[in-house]
Amino acid sequence: MGIVDCHVHLFPDAAAADPTGWAAARGENRWARMVAPRPDGRNVQGWAGVDRMLRDMDAAGIERAVLQGWYWERPATCAEHNHSMAAAIGAHADRLSAVATFHPAGGDSALNSLRRVRDMGFVGLGELCPEAQGYPHDEPVFEQALVLAGDWGWPVTLHVTEPAGCDYPGRVETPLMTIIELVRTHPDVRFVLAHWGGLLPFFEMNAAVARSLANACYDTAASPLIYGPRIAGAVAAAIGTDRIFFGSDYPILPRGEAEPTFEPFLKVIRDGGLSQGETEAILGANARRLYRLP
Ligand SMILES: [Zn+2]
């Protein structure tokens, strides 16, 4: 069984070609701050179109990638990104799946677009971040999207920031208590809390928190940019490996890399001190089950 990466970003070609101009034309200021070239040259965001992504997947032995949307601040940008991801999965159905992005300010038209992309083969919702997109967790249209996700068996990926960490351009606070409450109050939805859930798995040591998070899973996206090499073993020791899903956050650049690559992200899991069965679960088997992938 090949590897599944359940957290990659394939931005529209026009966005990758001119991130600053593209974002300015759409009012996507937060994303622009996050991906802008850094004055010290140590850029965090790398860029890859679909052809490069597929080549890099081949080189790393990744059989399938799940394209995540982005937590855009405008409904129109969500629609544009969903459109470009639909084209990519249409052309490469054997290698790529996608989850849809969404902004509740789009109202009924945003909800209808979820119905449309579902017919095109999309398998979930994400990567959303209400705090960054500017709506509360109980926003009524967001609530309707969560009901659809529950009805359709669509996992919902949320961006989660570690509460104790370093500042960086575009950092957004995602208070863990509010994430716990969102998950607890939507027991029919499978949530995938990105970036090891901002270390939320360790709070599952508290039995009440564990009960609230019974329908939460965690992905490993951007791990080497945030956490040390012991993270995989430590989280597995805390919650087991059934709810951990390999995600890279490709084409983000781990420290020291000038070009996008999957290898440093895979290394976190492979060198995590886990058994072969646990490693295989995280690297593919869990994601195949969650997203019902071929
Ligand atoms: Zn994220």
Side-chain angles (χ1 to χ4, degrees), residues 49-220:
V50 70
D51 292 336
R52 180 185 177 132
M53 178 181 282
L54 291 169
R55 277 199 309 277
D56 287 348
M57 286 168 62
D58 287 340
I62 294 174
E63 184 180 304
R64 180 172 290 274
V66 179
L67 309 179
Q68 294 278 341
W70 186 263
Y71 35 97
W72 303 111
E73 297 170 74
R74 315 275 175 187
T77 322
C78 294
E80 180 179 354
H81 195 188
N82 287 340
H83 187 76
S84 76
M85 289 191 290
I89 66 170
H92 303 283
D94 55 330
R95 306 296 301 280
L96 301 178
S97 300
V99 302
T101 183
F102 175 79
H103 197 301
D108 282 346
S109 121
L111 293 166
N112 284 330
S113 92
L114 295 183
R115 296 183 177 97
R116 270 198 307 280
V117 297
R118 180 173 179 244
D119 291 338
M120 297 165 130
F122 280 52
V123 292
L125 208 52
E127 176 186 16
L128 304 184
C129 183
E131 293 83 358
Q133 295 178 284
Y135 53 89
H137 283 186
D138 60 357
E139 204 285 338
V141 181
F142 178 53
E143 181 62 36
Q144 290 183 62
L146 292 178
V147 169
L148 291 177
D151 288 349
W152 298 341
W154 266 20
V156 177
T157 301
L158 299 177
H159 173 87
V160 184
T161 302
E162 74 289 356
C166 58
D167 196 17
Y168 50 83
R171 179 185 165 104
V172 57
E173 300 304 328
T174 57
L176 296 187
M177 288 299 282
T178 65
I179 301 272
I180 292 170
E181 193 57 12
L182 180 68
V183 173
R184 185 186 71 79
T185 52
H186 295 82
D188 297 336
V189 179
R190 280 319 279 280
F191 288 94
V192 182
L193 306 178
H195 316 298
W196 300 100
L199 301 182
L200 200 42
F202 297 118
F203 291 88
E204 290 199 27
M205 299 284 179
N206 177 301
V209 172
R211 276 195 300 279
S212 298
L213 293 173
N215 50 325
C217 339
Y218 302 95
D219 84 24
T220 70

